[in-house]
Amino acid sequence: MTRVRFTLGSFLGLLMVGAIVATPGAVLSQWIAEFEVRREVGLFFNLLLAGLVAGIALASRLPGRHPLMPLALGLTAGGFLLAAQAREFAWVLAAAPALGFGNGVMNVHGNSLVGELFKHRRVLALNLVNAAFGLGAMSAPFLAAFLPWRTVFMLLAALAFVGVGLVWGAPRVTAKPTAPTGARPRGAGTLLLAVLVYTGLEGALATWSGAYLAYLGREAALAGTLLSLYWGGLTLGRVLLAPFVARAPLRALAVLMGASVLVLALILAPPLAVLFPLAGVFYGPLFGTVFALVQERFGHQLVGQMFYAGALGSTLVPAAFSLAPHPDLLPYGFLVLAVGLYGLIRLAQRQYAAAPKGTPTPPVPPPPKR
């Protein structure tokens, strides 16, 4: 029962991560209308990023998960509650670092705990639990379409408080890297760069697909529906393709990245632009799979580097798309990223196969029952 409780807690934490990522975009128009702000919204994202980096740094350096995981979910709940009671936008800004910190800690420890609880089925378990991110990212815009944003934030705060109890007493980090002591981390840099490109592609499609569809004259309702399908496809890919990827992780990822290249090549034709959500299905399993490989071979500290790479990709790459001189160039940017991602996975496949094998990690005893 202890393992089930910690798994559910990690699932809920990663659902919170998805909600934190998606809620600003979902409620942005309501914030602008209610608080009459525009430039201040940029400050919210900067404060959110500062909290995220702080959370990643602390979680990747400390071996203890308790009380860090309950604290992260408690701060997330407090951040949502503070924002929900905001009388002016400064309250929302004050909540941003707490939400970012919770995001960073739960991303690192929520994933790493599941990887240790299911060490012999790590790829499968991590892909399944990362479906929670997609559910959170989908549910926030859906709820905001029918409920006031303050109500949505109150509901998310309540869920986060439930998570505090589920992760209470989370065990220390126990996973040991299988790479030989002192060995050069062959393939580590390639995997980290793949994460940067992946998060950049994910963010670029989520941010700029609507602008491209608007340029093509498609209705805003269609663009919103396709964006929801995109997040849904990302979640579906993690669930349905997890068993396929678990058999031969990097080889399977190479096949899936090749399929995503084909999809993003097809959307260069304007009538086929509506197919972009399908790409999310194919690259959905990438993050959980790469996390499992990094955790197994290189250990917990390099896991933190994954999230730094992800933070850079998800912020810098979508921002770079704003430099495109004309909207018809946007799908070419998506395609370039997809081709680069395919090449990095193929390179990692060769490096991982050629890397020296280390001493197998000794069995990790299950966490004590409480």
Side-chain angles (χ1 to χ4, degrees):
M1 287 301 295
T2 304
R3 184 164 77 164
V4 172
R5 176 166 67 87
F6 288 147
T7 303
L8 289 174
S10 296
F11 185 93
L12 192 53
L14 293 173
L15 187 145
M16 286 292 108
V17 170
I20 291 169
V21 169
T23 44
V27 304
L28 184 59
S29 59
Q30 297 183 58
W31 281 352
I32 292 173
E34 181 172 345
F35 297 112
E36 298 181 350
V37 292
R38 284 194 179 273
R39 291 184 179 179
E40 293 87 343
V41 174
L43 181 56
F44 172 86
F45 285 104
N46 288 332
L47 291 170
L48 192 71
L49 180 60
L52 172 64
V53 171
I56 292 171
L58 192 61
S60 59
R61 284 169 172 77
L62 296 181
R65 295 192 178 98
H66 180 68
L68 195 56
M69 287 178 73
L71 173 65
L73 277 160
L75 285 174
T76 298
F80 278 127
L81 281 176
L82 177 61
Q85 303 301 319
R87 297 180 181 177
E88 54 188 32
F89 195 67
W91 292 31
V92 178
L93 294 179
L99 294 174
F101 182 85
N103 184 344
V105 171
M106 288 312 305
N107 239 333
V108 175
H109 278 321
N111 277 289
S112 66
L113 178 56
V114 171
E116 292 177 15
L117 292 174
F118 299 91
K119 189 180 70 170
H120 300 295
R121 293 177 292 165
R122 187 176 272 138
V123 172
L124 179 63
L126 279 165
N127 273 298
L128 291 177
V129 81
N130 266 278
F133 173 87
L135 290 176
M138 288 187 334
S139 62
F142 177 79
L143 291 172
F146 298 98
L147 297 172
W149 70 271
R150 296 175 187 271
T151 304
V152 175
F153 277 32
M154 293 288 285
L155 291 173
L156 292 173
L159 278 176
F161 273 128
V162 172
V164 172
L166 289 172
V167 299
W168 191 264
R172 291 169 64 88
V173 173
T174 55
K176 305 291 184 183
T178 59
T181 303
R184 184 171 67 90
R186 184 177 178 86
T190 304
L191 289 175
L192 294 179
L193 186 56
V195 170
L196 188 151
V197 176
Y198 156 72
T199 56
L201 175 58
E202 178 187 81
L205 275 168
T207 305
W208 293 99
S209 59
Y212 179 57
L213 290 170
Y215 163 72
L216 296 177
R218 305 298 176 90
E219 295 181 358
L222 175 62
T225 301
L226 290 174
L227 185 57
S228 295
L229 289 174
Y230 167 74
W231 289 115
L234 195 77
T235 306
L236 193 65
R238 287 171 175 169
V239 173
L240 297 183
L241 296 174
F244 167 67
V245 176
R247 296 189 191 102
L250 286 172
R251 184 170 63 186
L253 282 185
V255 172
L256 295 176
M257 295 310 102
S260 72
V261 169
L262 177 60
V263 171
L264 294 176
L266 288 175
I267 73 168
L268 294 177
L272 301 179
V274 295
L275 295 179
F276 83 86
L278 187 58
V281 176
F282 294 124
Y283 65 66
L286 186 140
F287 183 85
T289 304
V290 172
F291 187 101
L293 296 175
V294 169
Q295 184 184 40
E296 175 190 35
R297 186 151 189 84
F298 306 113
H300 182 68
Q301 287 202 344
L302 199 63
V303 160
Q305 303 302 315
M306 269 193 63
F307 290 100
Y308 290 128
L312 285 175
S314 62
T315 53
L316 296 182
V317 174
F321 271 68
S322 66
L323 303 177
H326 200 273
D328 63 0
L329 295 177
L330 292 173
Y332 291 94
F334 303 150
L335 181 58
V336 168
L337 289 172
V339 171
L341 189 55
Y342 172 75
L344 287 168
I345 294 300
R346 289 301 302 269
L347 177 59
Q349 185 181 2
R350 291 195 294 271
Q351 291 175 331
Y352 198 87
K357 302 296 182 183
T359 304
T361 305
V364 177
K369 293 185 178 180
R370 296 180 181 268

